Amino acid sequence: MPPTTRARSGSRSPANPFAPKPGASATPSKAKGKPAPVSFEAGIEKEVREHWIDVPCSWALLSTIAGLCFAGDYLIPPICGTSEGSFLTFSCPDAIIFGWIFCWTAFLVKMLPPQTNNPMELWFCSGMPLRKRAVKFVLQLLAALSFAFAMKHFAKDFAEKVYTMGAPKVHLCAAASAGAPHHKHFKGDANCVHEWPSFSGGKFAQGAVINEALHVFFLNYLVALLCPHAGKYFNFVIAGLVITTLRSPYTFTGPGLNMVPSMMAASLYGGFEALRVHLFGTFIGMFLASWLEHRSGVVKVGFASALSWRPGQKGANKAKKA
């Protein structure tokens, strides 16, 4: 009988070779255990929900700076008075200021989760997805921006005190976007610096960006070298290195050392030029620290900035043979 006659008489047609087998899923990707594709908006929302903690952690860092300015009015006059005494290499007011910075830096390093309040280090951490880096970077900068916005609009006088007393400042020549408190603090352009290296009057000027980059590099590389040998006292070593860097006789940029306080300072009265210096300076400094740590074999697990270093993060890189 011809095939057409068999088909008309009710016989079965040949099985479809592309039909899914009984018990198998119609979508091969799900059958193989692959996750369904996530839209860009849903991925960003997921990262924000997972890393919102970066915002209060950044606020905690900025609160220590604001707290220093608030407590300084109540601690320095009664303790120091008109005395010109000193403690080690610190004058009386400096001993209180840097003692405050030392204690709170050691506390924050010990208590806060790593990679939550230093945006620039995120671009040099190994194994972190790009979307996660970008979301955490933006969250931390937005936290600093909102902190500055709240101070300027609800406590303007206190915001000016925080800027002049505790925030990192860059006194650039002809800083057009700097606010009035900035110019009031520096009183003209007599000691201003250029943004980039230049020759002025036959002399080489380092520039604010390179100056800040070198201090960022100095801090983070020394943390990688010294902290693996500090044991459980690593947070005090980091706090001491932070103070040493801030008191450097070669700095004239603040220095920022971290984009969270630098973003707050630029948003208050430093202006766009100061923000640009801090962005370039911290990026170059972090790049140099990360590159040299990898080249010299200091990195054991992955790069971390001074505020994110934890025991086991870095150390002597001993090669292990399989």
Side-chain angles (χ1 to χ4, degrees):
M1 182 183 293
T4 55
T5 306
R6 290 200 303 268
R8 290 174 184 174
S9 62
S11 61
R12 292 183 178 181
S13 59
N16 183 2
F18 300 102
K21 296 180 180 180
S25 175
T27 56
S29 62
K30 292 183 179 179
K32 295 179 180 179
K34 296 181 179 179
V38 180
S39 66
F40 177 79
E41 293 80 5
I44 294 296
E45 183 180 352
K46 177 177 178 292
E47 294 290 348
V48 172
R49 287 198 307 268
E50 290 181 354
H51 304 294
W52 64 269
I53 193 66
D54 289 22
V55 174
C57 287
S58 299
W59 285 343
L61 174 62
L62 297 175
S63 297
T64 63
I65 299 175
L68 167 63
C69 303
F70 180 79
D73 291 340
Y74 298 95
L75 293 177
I76 294 177
I79 295 176
C80 298
T82 59
S83 173
E84 297 182 358
S86 61
F87 174 75
L88 298 178
T89 60
F90 299 91
S91 65
C92 184
D94 285 347
I96 295 175
I97 291 172
F98 286 103
W100 178 283
I101 296 173
F102 179 90
C103 293
W104 278 107
T105 301
F107 177 79
L108 293 178
V109 170
K110 191 76 172 180
M111 301 303 297
L112 294 184
Q115 299 175 350
T116 55
N117 54 11
N118 194 348
M120 202 58 73
E121 74 167 311
L122 301 171
W123 302 109
F124 304 98
C125 298
S126 59
M128 185 181 293
L130 178 61
R131 184 163 58 190
K132 179 179 177 181
R133 297 174 196 260
V135 169
K136 288 174 68 68
F137 182 84
V138 172
L139 283 176
Q140 293 173 28
L141 291 186
L142 286 178
L145 183 63
S146 62
F147 194 91
F149 178 84
M151 280 199 300
K152 285 183 70 173
H153 285 76
F154 297 106
K156 191 173 182 179
D157 293 338
F158 182 67
E160 183 175 343
K161 180 181 292 187
V162 169
Y163 180 77
T164 56
M165 184 177 178
K169 294 173 285 295
V170 182
H171 185 37
L172 294 176
C173 299
S177 61
H182 174 90
H183 295 291
K184 178 183 176 182
H185 177 75
F186 287 101
K187 299 178 181 178
D189 291 341
N191 297 315
C192 65
V193 296
H194 295 285
E195 185 173 352
W196 294 97
S198 61
F199 282 94
S200 178
K203 295 183 179 180
F204 175 75
Q206 189 180 65
V209 171
I210 302 302
N211 184 274
E212 181 154 325
L214 291 176
H215 285 82
V216 172
F217 161 74
F218 171 84
L219 170 63
N220 291 282
Y221 190 66
L222 281 186
V223 165
L225 291 177
L226 299 180
C227 283
H229 309 288
K232 62 182 180 181
Y233 303 107
F234 72 96
N235 55 324
F236 297 110
V237 174
I238 292 174
L241 290 173
V242 168
I243 289 179
T244 302
T245 308
L246 290 174
R247 297 190 72 216
S248 167
Y250 304 104
T251 182
F252 45 78
T253 63
L257 302 181
N258 185 344
M259 274 308 302
V260 168
S262 298
M263 182 70 177
M264 179 198 69
S267 302
L268 285 174
Y269 302 108
F272 178 74
E273 294 88 357
L275 177 62
R276 189 169 60 224
V277 167
H278 293 310
L279 282 171
F280 283 119
T282 52
F283 180 84
I284 296 172
M286 288 289 182
F287 169 78
L288 291 174
S290 174
W291 176 79
L292 191 58
E293 287 178 25
H294 282 89
R295 293 287 294 179
S296 61
V298 174
V299 170
K300 183 178 181 181
V301 177
F303 175 75
S305 71
L307 294 180
S308 294
W309 196 94
R310 299 296 183 270
Q313 181 70 36
K314 301 173 188 174
N317 193 10
K318 299 179 180 179
K320 296 182 180 180
K321 296 183 179 180

Coordinates of all heavy atoms in Angstrom, one line a residue, residues 130-182:
L130 N 32.3 43.2 37.4 CA 32.3 44.6 37.0 C 31.1 45.3 37.6 O 31.1 46.4 38.1 CB 32.4 44.7 35.5 CG 32.4 46.2 35.0 CD1 33.6 47.0 35.5 CD2 32.4 46.2 33.5
R131 N 29.9 44.7 37.4 CA 28.7 45.3 37.9 C 28.7 45.6 39.4 O 28.2 46.6 39.9 CB 27.5 44.5 37.5 CG 26.1 45.1 37.8 CD 25.0 44.5 37.1 NE 24.9 43.0 37.4 CZ 24.1 42.2 36.7 NH1 23.4 42.6 35.7 NH2 24.1 40.9 37.0
K132 N 29.2 44.6 40.1 CA 29.4 44.8 41.6 C 30.3 45.9 41.9 O 30.0 46.7 42.8 CB 29.9 43.5 42.2 CG 30.0 43.5 43.7 CD 30.5 42.2 44.3 CE 30.7 42.3 45.8 NZ 31.2 41.0 46.3
R133 N 31.4 46.0 41.2 CA 32.4 47.1 41.4 C 31.7 48.5 41.2 O 31.8 49.4 42.0 CB 33.6 47.0 40.5 CG 34.4 45.8 40.7 CD 35.5 45.8 39.5 NE 36.1 44.5 39.4 CZ 37.3 44.1 39.9 NH1 38.0 45.0 40.6 NH2 37.8 42.9 39.7
A134 N 31.0 48.6 40.1 CA 30.3 49.8 39.7 C 29.3 50.2 40.7 O 29.2 51.4 41.2 CB 29.7 49.7 38.3
V135 N 28.4 49.3 41.2 CA 27.4 49.6 42.1 C 27.9 50.0 43.5 O 27.5 51.0 44.1 CB 26.4 48.4 42.3 CG1 25.5 48.6 43.4 CG2 25.6 48.2 41.0
K136 N 28.9 49.3 44.0 CA 29.5 49.7 45.3 C 30.2 51.0 45.2 O 30.2 51.8 46.1 CB 30.5 48.6 45.7 CG 29.8 47.3 46.1 CD 30.9 46.2 46.4 CE 31.7 46.5 47.7 NZ 30.9 46.4 48.9
F137 N 30.9 51.3 44.1 CA 31.6 52.6 43.8 C 30.6 53.7 43.9 O 30.8 54.7 44.6 CB 32.3 52.5 42.5 CG 33.1 53.8 42.2 CD1 34.4 53.9 42.7 CD2 32.6 54.8 41.4 CE1 35.1 55.1 42.4 CE2 33.3 55.9 41.1 CZ 34.6 56.1 41.6
V138 N 29.5 53.6 43.2 CA 28.5 54.7 43.1 C 27.8 54.8 44.5 O 27.6 55.9 45.0 CB 27.5 54.4 42.0 CG1 26.3 55.4 42.1 CG2 28.1 54.4 40.7
L139 N 27.5 53.7 45.2 CA 26.8 53.8 46.5 C 27.7 54.5 47.5 O 27.2 55.4 48.2 CB 26.5 52.4 47.0 CG 25.3 51.6 46.4 CD1 25.2 50.2 47.0 CD2 24.0 52.4 46.7
Q140 N 29.0 54.3 47.5 CA 29.8 54.9 48.5 C 30.0 56.4 48.2 O 30.1 57.2 49.1 CB 31.2 54.2 48.5 CG 31.1 52.8 49.1 CD 32.4 52.0 49.0 OE1 33.5 52.6 49.0 NE2 32.3 50.7 48.9
L141 N 30.1 56.8 46.9 CA 30.2 58.2 46.6 C 28.9 58.9 46.8 O 28.9 60.1 47.3 CB 30.6 58.3 45.1 CG 32.1 57.9 44.7 CD1 32.4 58.2 43.3 CD2 33.1 58.6 45.6
L142 N 27.8 58.3 46.5 CA 26.5 58.9 46.8 C 26.3 59.1 48.3 O 25.7 60.0 48.8 CB 25.4 58.0 46.3 CG 25.2 58.1 44.7 CD1 24.0 57.2 44.3 CD2 24.9 59.5 44.3
A143 N 26.8 58.1 49.1 CA 26.7 58.3 50.6 C 27.5 59.6 51.0 O 27.0 60.3 51.9 CB 27.3 57.1 51.3
A144 N 28.7 59.8 50.5 CA 29.5 61.0 50.8 C 28.8 62.2 50.3 O 28.7 63.3 51.0 CB 30.9 60.9 50.2
L145 N 28.2 62.2 49.1 CA 27.5 63.3 48.6 C 26.3 63.7 49.4 O 26.0 64.9 49.7 CB 27.1 63.0 47.1 CG 26.4 64.2 46.4 CD1 27.3 65.3 46.2 CD2 25.9 63.7 45.0
S146 N 25.5 62.7 49.8 CA 24.3 63.0 50.7 C 24.7 63.5 52.0 O 24.0 64.3 52.6 CB 23.5 61.7 50.8 OG 24.2 60.7 51.4
F147 N 25.8 63.0 52.6 CA 26.3 63.5 53.9 C 26.6 65.0 53.8 O 26.2 65.7 54.7 CB 27.5 62.7 54.3 CG 27.9 62.8 55.8 CD1 27.4 62.0 56.7 CD2 28.8 63.8 56.2 CE1 27.7 62.1 58.1 CE2 29.1 64.0 57.5 CZ 28.6 63.1 58.4
A148 N 27.3 65.4 52.7 CA 27.7 66.8 52.6 C 26.4 67.6 52.3 O 26.3 68.7 52.8 CB 28.7 66.9 51.4
F149 N 25.5 67.1 51.5 CA 24.3 67.8 51.2 C 23.5 68.1 52.5 O 23.0 69.2 52.7 CB 23.5 67.1 50.2 CG 22.1 67.7 49.9 CD1 22.1 68.7 48.9 CD2 21.0 67.3 50.5 CE1 20.9 69.3 48.6 CE2 19.8 67.9 50.2 CZ 19.7 68.9 49.2
A150 N 23.4 67.1 53.3 CA 22.6 67.2 54.6 C 23.3 68.3 55.5 O 22.6 69.1 56.1 CB 22.5 65.9 55.3
M151 N 24.6 68.3 55.6 CA 25.3 69.3 56.5 C 25.1 70.7 55.9 O 24.9 71.6 56.7 CB 26.8 68.9 56.6 CG 27.1 67.8 57.6 SD 28.8 67.8 58.1 CE 29.6 67.6 56.6
K152 N 25.2 70.9 54.6 CA 25.2 72.2 54.0 C 23.8 72.8 54.2 O 23.6 74.0 54.3 CB 25.6 72.2 52.6 CG 27.0 72.0 52.3 CD 27.4 72.1 50.9 CE 27.2 73.5 50.3 NZ 27.7 73.5 48.9
H153 N 22.7 72.0 54.2 CA 21.4 72.5 54.2 C 20.7 72.5 55.6 O 19.7 73.2 55.8 CB 20.5 71.7 53.2 CG 20.7 72.0 51.8 ND1 21.9 71.5 51.1 CD2 20.1 72.7 50.9 CE1 21.8 71.9 49.9 NE2 20.8 72.7 49.7
F154 N 21.3 71.7 56.5 CA 20.7 71.7 57.8 C 21.6 72.2 58.9 O 21.1 72.5 60.0 CB 20.3 70.3 58.2 CG 19.2 69.7 57.3 CD1 19.5 68.8 56.3 CD2 17.9 70.1 57.3 CE1 18.6 68.3 55.4 CE2 16.9 69.6 56.5 CZ 17.3 68.7 55.5
A155 N 22.9 72.3 58.6 CA 23.8 72.9 59.6 C 25.0 73.6 58.9 O 26.1 73.1 58.8 CB 24.4 71.8 60.5
K156 N 24.7 74.7 58.3 CA 25.6 75.3 57.4 C 26.9 75.8 58.1 O 28.0 75.6 57.6 CB 25.0 76.5 56.7 CG 25.8 77.1 55.6 CD 25.0 78.2 54.8 CE 25.9 78.7 53.7 NZ 25.1 79.8 52.9
D157 N 26.8 76.3 59.3 CA 27.9 76.8 60.1 C 28.8 75.6 60.5 O 30.0 75.6 60.4 CB 27.5 77.5 61.3 CG 26.8 78.9 61.0 OD1 27.1 79.4 59.8 OD2 26.1 79.4 61.8
F158 N 28.1 74.5 60.8 CA 28.9 73.3 61.2 C 29.6 72.7 60.0 O 30.7 72.2 60.1 CB 28.0 72.3 61.9 CG 28.7 71.0 62.3 CD1 29.6 71.1 63.4 CD2 28.4 69.8 61.7 CE1 30.2 69.9 63.8 CE2 29.1 68.7 62.1 CZ 30.0 68.7 63.2
A159 N 28.9 72.8 58.8 CA 29.6 72.3 57.6 C 30.8 73.0 57.3 O 31.8 72.4 56.8 CB 28.6 72.4 56.4
E160 N 30.8 74.3 57.5 CA 32.0 75.1 57.2 C 33.1 74.7 58.2 O 34.3 74.7 57.8 CB 31.7 76.6 57.4 CG 32.8 77.5 57.0 CD 32.5 79.0 57.1 OE1 31.2 79.3 57.0 OE2 33.4 79.8 57.2
K161 N 32.8 74.5 59.5 CA 33.8 74.1 60.4 C 34.4 72.7 60.1 O 35.6 72.5 60.2 CB 33.1 74.0 61.8 CG 34.1 73.6 62.9 CD 33.4 73.5 64.3 CE 33.0 74.9 64.7 NZ 32.5 74.9 66.1
V162 N 33.5 71.8 59.6 CA 34.0 70.5 59.2 C 35.0 70.6 58.1 O 36.0 69.9 58.0 CB 32.8 69.5 58.9 CG1 33.3 68.2 58.2 CG2 32.0 69.2 60.1
Y163 N 34.6 71.4 57.1 CA 35.5 71.6 56.0 C 36.8 72.2 56.3 O 37.9 71.7 55.9 CB 34.8 72.5 54.9 CG 35.7 72.7 53.7 CD1 35.8 71.7 52.7 CD2 36.4 73.9 53.5 CE1 36.6 71.8 51.6 CE2 37.2 74.0 52.4 CZ 37.3 73.0 51.4 OH 38.1 73.2 50.3
T164 N 36.8 73.3 57.1 CA 38.1 73.9 57.5 C 38.9 73.2 58.5 O 40.2 73.3 58.5 CB 37.8 75.3 58.0 OG1 36.9 75.2 59.2 CG2 37.1 76.2 57.0
M165 N 38.3 72.3 59.3 CA 39.0 71.7 60.4 C 39.4 70.2 60.1 O 40.5 69.8 60.4 CB 38.2 71.8 61.7 CG 38.9 71.2 62.9 SD 37.9 71.4 64.4 CE 39.0 70.6 65.6
G166 N 38.5 69.5 59.4 CA 38.7 68.1 59.3 C 38.7 67.5 57.9 O 39.1 66.3 57.8
A167 N 38.3 68.2 56.9 CA 38.2 67.6 55.6 C 39.5 67.8 54.8 O 40.2 68.8 55.0 CB 37.0 68.3 54.8
P168 N 39.8 66.9 53.9 CA 40.9 67.1 53.0 C 40.7 68.2 52.0 O 39.6 68.3 51.4 CB 41.0 65.7 52.3 CG 39.7 65.1 52.3 CD 39.1 65.6 53.6
K169 N 41.7 69.1 51.9 CA 41.6 70.3 51.0 C 42.7 70.3 50.0 O 43.8 70.0 50.3 CB 41.5 71.5 51.9 CG 40.3 71.6 52.8 CD 40.4 72.8 53.8 CE 41.4 72.5 54.9 NZ 41.0 71.4 55.8
V170 N 42.4 70.8 48.8 CA 43.4 71.0 47.8 C 43.3 72.5 47.4 O 42.3 73.0 46.9 CB 43.1 70.1 46.6 CG1 44.2 70.4 45.5 CG2 43.1 68.7 47.0
H171 N 44.4 73.2 47.6 CA 44.4 74.7 47.3 C 45.0 74.9 46.0 O 46.2 75.2 45.8 CB 45.2 75.4 48.4 CG 45.1 76.9 48.2 ND1 44.0 77.6 47.8 CD2 46.0 77.9 48.4 CE1 44.2 78.9 47.7 NE2 45.5 79.1 48.1
L172 N 44.2 74.7 44.9 CA 44.7 74.9 43.6 C 44.7 76.3 43.1 O 43.8 77.1 43.6 CB 43.8 74.1 42.6 CG 43.9 72.5 42.7 CD1 42.9 71.9 41.8 CD2 45.3 72.0 42.5
C173 N 45.6 76.7 42.3 CA 45.6 78.1 41.7 C 44.4 78.3 40.8 O 44.1 77.4 40.0 CB 46.9 78.3 40.9 SG 48.4 78.1 41.9
A174 N 43.7 79.4 41.0 CA 42.5 79.7 40.3 C 41.5 78.6 40.3 O 41.0 78.1 39.3 CB 42.9 80.0 38.8
A175 N 41.1 78.2 41.5 CA 40.0 77.2 41.7 C 38.7 77.9 41.5 O 38.2 78.4 42.5 CB 40.2 76.5 43.0
A176 N 38.1 77.9 40.4 CA 36.9 78.6 40.1 C 35.7 78.1 40.8 O 34.8 78.9 41.2 CB 36.6 78.7 38.6
S177 N 35.6 76.8 41.0 CA 34.4 76.2 41.6 C 34.4 76.1 43.1 O 33.5 75.6 43.7 CB 34.1 74.9 41.0 OG 35.2 74.0 41.3
A178 N 35.6 76.5 43.7 CA 35.7 76.4 45.2 C 34.7 77.4 45.9 O 34.5 78.5 45.4 CB 37.1 76.6 45.6
G179 N 34.2 77.0 47.0 CA 33.3 77.9 47.7 C 34.0 79.0 48.5 O 35.2 79.0 48.7
A180 N 33.2 79.9 49.0 CA 33.7 81.0 49.8 C 34.5 80.6 51.0 O 35.5 81.1 51.3 CB 32.6 82.0 50.2
P181 N 34.0 79.5 51.8 CA 34.8 79.1 53.0 C 36.2 78.6 52.6 O 37.1 78.7 53.4 CB 33.9 78.0 53.6 CG 32.6 78.3 53.1 CD 32.7 78.9 51.8
H182 N 36.3 78.0 51.4 CA 37.6 77.5 50.9 C 38.6 78.7 50.8 O 39.7 78.7 51.3 CB 37.5 76.8 49.6 CG 38.8 76.4 49.0 ND1 39.4 75.2 49.3 CD2 39.6 77.0 48.1 CE1 40.6 75.1 48.6 NE2 40.7 76.2 47.9

